[in-house]
Amino acid sequence: MSQTTYGDISPRTAAYAQKELLKRGIPYLCLEKFGQGRPVPQRNSKQTIFRRYEALDPTPNALVEGVTPSAKKLEKTDIPATLVQYGDRIQLTDVIMDTHEDNVLQESIEVLGEQAAEMIETMRFGIVKAGTNVFFSNGSTRSAVNTPLTKSLQRRVTRALKRQRARKVTSVIRSTPSYATEAVAPSFIGLAHTDLESDIREMDGFVPTEKYGSMTPYENEIGKVEDVRYILSTIYLPWEGAGATGGTNVLETDDDADVYPVLYIARDSYGIVPLKGKTSLTPMVVNPKPSDSDPLAQRGHVGWKSMQTAVILNDMWMARAEVAVTD
């Protein structure tokens, strides 16, 4: 059998495999929804450009009768982002494929789908949480943190975002393998680890998703406080033991508080290459077959690869709160 782009499977079978990979991984792709998506076509550059046009000076400009005012010039900022190829594979033996009672190929696709989403989400969060707009639950450095998240801290964050004219999220990428957007109720988004669930629910004014009425919750969303909707994931890990001693009933490592990032995001604050659509992810399946390295055709492979990146587009349109968590 001749080699194709997808190993030993046809483009039609590859499309099905890709759909299954994406379907299994979608619940983990929280950052996928809210970033400015820039799909990159195949056979294109390894670099993509995100462009922002700057606001004009709003100083009152009185017109003089009969005199044409001076023309303003659009100012743009280009933010380059370099694509990196990510991926992994599972090796299967001919004996497993021939004798195992489970559909090992299908199971491999499902497991790889979860891994692809978690790997890309981890990469993206590592980039966007590194912004410079930081708030601490107490003190002025990470090493001083030993108190939990409060509504007062949330208000400090949202006040700062609004002062920078950050816009609330009003559209998201749909929770399907296809690349498309849908309108949503305006809000800021708070992304945090699942360990923060109790502290968020204890915040004054918390509204759980089951009381949203006509508003549809996001995957992994637990509820909202004022104009922030909170989405939780185990991927958003803390800095263990990075805080201060002396916290009251907080999670600790070696007597120092664990410090958790809470990422507050507004519209167009960061950019991504979507892990959706027909060019986003390439599945690979190679059946066991004779070769110089495998003369008895004992090994086959299932894998995936994807060209990906993420980039902060405006530091002041996102904020990172660093907090402790109640034990």
Side-chain angles (χ1 to χ4, degrees), residues 263-284:
L263 189 65
Y264 293 91
I265 55 179
R267 180 178 172 184
D268 295 328
S269 56
Y270 64 94
I272 59 168
V273 174
L275 192 64
K276 296 190 177 187
K278 63 182 181 180
T279 62
S280 64
L281 181 147
T282 304
M284 305 291 292

Side-chain angles (χ1 to χ4, degrees), residues 174-291:
R174 287 180 178 171
S175 298
T176 64
S178 62
Y179 177 69
T181 60
E182 61 184 347
V184 295
S187 66
F188 296 118
I189 305 298
L191 301 176
H193 193 275
T194 52
D195 286 352
L196 275 87
E197 180 169 355
S198 294
D199 287 339
I200 294 170
R201 290 185 181 275
E202 290 296 322
M203 291 168 67
D204 184 40
F206 174 80
V207 178
T209 54
E210 56 266 27
K211 294 185 178 180
Y212 275 3
S214 61
M215 189 167 68
T216 303
Y218 302 122
E219 290 88 353
N220 300 344
E221 182 179 1
I222 62 166
K224 65 189 292 289
V225 179
E226 295 183 340
D227 48 4
V228 177
R229 296 172 65 173
Y230 283 96
I231 297 173
L232 307 185
S233 171
T234 56
I235 293 173
Y236 310 143
L237 295 171
W239 295 282
E240 294 184 352
T245 58
T248 303
N249 194 30
V250 296
L251 295 176
E252 298 176 333
T253 299
D254 297 330
D255 296 326
D256 293 325
D258 297 334
V259 180
Y260 287 75
V262 183
L263 189 65
Y264 293 91
I265 55 179
R267 180 178 172 184
D268 295 328
S269 56
Y270 64 94
I272 59 168
V273 174
L275 192 64
K276 296 190 177 187
K278 63 182 181 180
T279 62
S280 64
L281 181 147
T282 304
M284 305 291 292
V285 176
V286 178
N287 295 319
K289 57 188 175 183
S291 67

Side-chain angles (χ1 to χ4, degrees), residues 61-72:
N61 184 29
L63 299 180
V64 178
E65 182 179 355
V67 178
T68 302
S70 301
K72 294 292 193 297

Side-chain angles (χ1 to χ4, degrees), residues 50-123:
F50 292 85
R51 177 166 293 168
R52 180 178 69 242
Y53 286 94
E54 305 299 341
L56 294 175
D57 181 3
T59 302
N61 184 29
L63 299 180
V64 178
E65 182 179 355
V67 178
T68 302
S70 301
K72 294 292 193 297
K73 182 181 178 181
L74 282 176
E75 299 289 340
K76 65 180 176 66
T77 301
D78 284 347
I79 304 171
T82 301
L83 294 165
V84 177
Q85 191 174 59
Y86 296 89
D88 210 344
R89 69 184 179 94
I90 293 174
Q91 181 170 292
L92 303 173
T93 67
D94 58 337
V95 175
I96 287 291
M97 295 181 72
D98 290 342
T99 65
H100 202 280
E101 62 184 24
D102 297 329
N103 185 340
V104 179
L105 180 58
Q106 181 64 32
E107 292 292 335
S108 298
I109 289 175
E110 292 183 0
V111 170
L112 286 167
E114 290 184 2
Q115 183 214 31
E118 290 193 62
M119 186 184 296
I120 300 305
E121 184 80 354
T122 300
M123 176 273 294

Side-chain angles (χ1 to χ4, degrees), residues 1-18 282-287:
M1 182 182 293
S2 61
Q3 291 286 329
T4 70
T5 307
Y6 312 101
D8 291 334
I9 56 177
S10 68
R12 180 176 179 180
T13 304
Y16 170 78
Q18 181 207 41
T282 304
M284 305 291 292
V285 176
V286 178
N287 295 319

